[in-house]
Amino acid sequence: MQTKAFAVKSATTPFGPHAIDRRAPDPKDVALDILFCGVCHSDLHTARGDWPGTQYPCVPGHEIVGRVTAVGKDVTRFKPGQIVGVGCMVDSCRSCAQCQDGLEQYCDGPVGFTGTYNGPVGGGPNTYGGYSASITVDEHFVLDIRHAEKDLAGVAPLLCAGITTWSPLRHWGAGPGKKVGIVGIGGLGHMGVKLSHALGAHTVAFTTSPNKVAEIKAMGADEVVIPKDTAQMQKHLNSFDIILNTVAASHNLDAFTTLLKRDGTMVLVGAPPTPHPSPAVFALVFKRRGIAGSLIGGIPETQEMLDFCAKHGITCDIEMIKMQDIDKAYDRMIKSDVKYRFVIDMASLK
Ligand code: NAP
Ligand code: ZN
Ligand code: ZN
């Protein structure tokens, strides 16, 4: 069926209306009308060709909340009318060791996982994401949403910003007695602060934007540091168990690795278009510090995060926009001028 969407046709053209085709539900599929879609910096990297491999026309959007309109005959977990979420993936091989472990984002299958937009990571037919009126997805990749309906716009960004920070915080053991740093307080970073705080860790935020400090404290940060203030940075030398780095631009990592205690790890989730300068080896070897990376999160841990957020009353801080204002939103995101996630009200597409 034909569905309204917004697409870019090249890296340098603005977004405009574009009709796409959505399949009628197969036996295991769930079809939903999209209510809200968050705007991730990865949408911008992909649409504007920051990263290699964008297939055009490109319809981004992988922070989707919607209402089920139809289900295939073998679907057991969802029914029409239900509020559900779709995140960054819509398929994977389901049989490799990664998929069996519920970590579909690391799928070893022939083409890896299939992104909600821009097709399988290993190449293949294009997929179209949440900047659209509806989507059809295999039930395995559909999430149950337990938040109140009034909160749904603030729930949408949990589907990427939430899980991308939750997965490494859990994997590296954020919790009581641990000191956690979050670098870059945009969409991902503000969720990192909220989740780390809710998990019981002593949470320190690093922001280049002094105008965000009071709000970041209100999110649950115990301390907020401006990295260019070297005296503030010195106070935290050798003290962090985990630093989660969400910055979307290339920068000097040594300023943060030196803040890790012995055996501490800095986890990179930000994916800048150009590489970071090489880290200083001595800053790592003398305290057995590590630099790691982490990609979104698997479906079971995404459900775990959504349920944790529903239980603890956690949603994202958002600024609602119309679909037609997406280019302006991207321009503001590049300037770190977003508090703290743009969310598209999909009613504006109708
Ligand atoms: P965002 O909302 O634009 O936030 C990024 C934040 O980083 C900014 O708000 C700013 O925070 C800081 N920042 C940006 N440019 C900077 C610079 N030049 N120097 C220092 N700080 C800077 O972006 P996002 O949606 O959170 O995504 C962040 C990155 O993560 C992107 O590269 C995105 O593609 C990537 N990502 C990765 C995954 C994954 O699975 N690994 C998933 C989703 C997104 P302050 O104002 O606080 O300094
Ligand atoms: Zn994302
Ligand atoms: Zn697999």
Side-chain angles (χ1 to χ4, degrees), residues 39-45 51 62-63 88 160-161 164 183-190 206-212 216 227 245-251 268-273 293-297 332-338 340-341:
V39 179
C40 179
H41 208 113
S42 302
D43 302 354
L44 187 164
H45 289 312
W51 297 332
H62 58 204
E63 296 183 335
C88 304
C160 176
T164 301
V183 187
I185 310 302
L188 266 54
H190 97 288
F206 295 87
T207 180
T208 60
S209 307
N211 69 330
K212 294 180 181 173
I216 296 169
N245 188 328
T246 79
V247 175
S250 166
H251 62 282
L268 303 178
V269 290
S294 183
L295 180 67
I296 49 176
R332 284 184 51 195
M333 194 153 56
I334 286 172
K335 291 187 255 165
S336 304
D337 174 24
V338 45
Y340 282 82
R341 195 59 138 188

Side-chain angles (χ1 to χ4, degrees), residues 1-5 17-24 33 128 132-136 349:
M1 48 199 163
Q2 287 269 299
T3 300
K4 285 186 180 179
H18 178 71
I20 56 171
D21 193 42
R22 294 296 193 197
R23 64 178 185 267
D33 277 347
Y128 298 119
S132 60
S134 68
I135 192 167
T136 307
L349 191 58

Side-chain angles (χ1 to χ4, degrees), residues 32-36 64-68 82-86 152:
L32 49 136
D33 277 347
I34 298 175
L35 298 171
F36 301 105
I64 297 168
V65 167
R67 191 184 301 277
V68 176
Q82 195 172 340
I83 297 293
V84 296
V86 176
L152 292 182

Side-chain angles (χ1 to χ4, degrees), residues 4-332:
K4 285 186 180 179
F6 253 52
V8 280
K9 303 222 158 114
S10 80
T12 52
T13 43
F15 275 90
H18 178 71
I20 56 171
D21 193 42
R22 294 296 193 197
R23 64 178 185 267
D26 288 333
K28 296 290 275 179
D29 278 347
V30 175
L32 49 136
D33 277 347
I34 298 175
L35 298 171
F36 301 105
C37 183
V39 179
C40 179
H41 208 113
S42 302
D43 302 354
L44 187 164
H45 289 312
T46 307
R48 294 194 172 172
D50 283 353
W51 297 332
T54 303
Q55 305 183 58
Y56 296 99
C58 174
V59 178
H62 58 204
E63 296 183 335
I64 297 168
V65 167
R67 191 184 301 277
V68 176
T69 52
V71 297
K73 69 177 175 51
D74 296 338
V75 169
T76 54
R77 291 167 45 234
F78 302 102
K79 52 180 188 297
Q82 195 172 340
I83 297 293
V84 296
V86 176
C88 304
M89 301 181 282
V90 291
D91 205 0
S92 70
C93 86
R94 324 284 175 90
S95 57
C96 73
Q98 319 309 326
C99 288
Q100 293 290 312
D101 282 349
L103 295 169
E104 300 88 344
Q105 73 275 31
Y106 302 121
C107 176
D108 290 328
V111 290
F113 72 87
T114 300
T116 303
Y117 60 83
N118 208 39
V121 288
N126 205 0
T127 49
Y128 298 119
Y131 297 6
S132 60
S134 68
I135 192 167
T136 307
V137 180
D138 185 294
E139 77 166 327
H140 182 85
F141 293 90
V142 178
L143 287 307
D144 192 11
I145 303 285
R146 304 204 170 105
H147 286 77
E149 284 219 13
K150 67 174 175 47
D151 295 331
L152 292 182
V155 171
L158 296 177
L159 275 306
C160 176
I163 183 58
T164 301
T165 48
W166 175 263
S167 180
L169 287 171
R170 295 281 285 161
H171 180 76
W172 275 276
K178 293 289 169 76
K179 184 172 172 183
V180 173
I182 310 286
V183 187
I185 310 302
L188 266 54
H190 97 288
M191 284 316 303
V193 169
K194 290 188 184 201
L195 294 173
S196 171
H197 171 72
L199 286 166
H202 182 86
T203 304
V204 181
F206 295 87
T207 180
T208 60
S209 307
N211 69 330
K212 294 180 181 173
V213 171
E215 288 159 354
I216 296 169
K217 285 196 172 145
M219 290 169 200
D222 297 288
E223 301 174 63
V224 183
V225 173
I226 309 287
K228 73 173 184 219
D229 181 336
T230 42
Q232 277 188 47
M233 293 291 273
Q234 288 282 325
K235 277 200 323 199
H236 292 279
L237 283 177
N238 306 324
S239 66
F240 283 91
D241 297 281
I242 307 160
I243 296 178
L244 193 57
N245 188 328
T246 79
V247 175
S250 166
H251 62 282
N252 171 19
L253 301 178
D254 302 335
F256 300 105
T257 50
T258 49
L259 305 188
L260 294 166
K261 62 155 75 148
R262 193 203 75 211
D263 291 329
T265 304
M266 175 154 73
V267 186
L268 303 178
V269 290
T274 53
H276 298 298
S278 297
V281 173
F282 284 110
L284 301 174
V285 295
F286 270 93
K287 292 227 169 342
R288 202 162 58 185
R289 296 164 171 138
I291 297 179
S294 183
L295 180 67
I296 49 176
I299 294 298
E301 57 183 341
T302 304
Q303 191 64 61
E304 177 192 62
M305 176 276 308
L306 286 167
D307 295 348
F308 178 90
C309 289
K311 184 169 162 213
H312 292 266
I314 297 172
T315 56
C316 304
D317 294 0
I318 65 150
E319 185 175 334
M320 192 95 86
I321 61 165
K322 297 194 183 97
M323 187 70 259
Q324 294 76 7
D325 291 331
I326 187 69
D327 296 290
K328 277 185 261 170
Y330 278 16
D331 292 341
R332 284 184 51 195

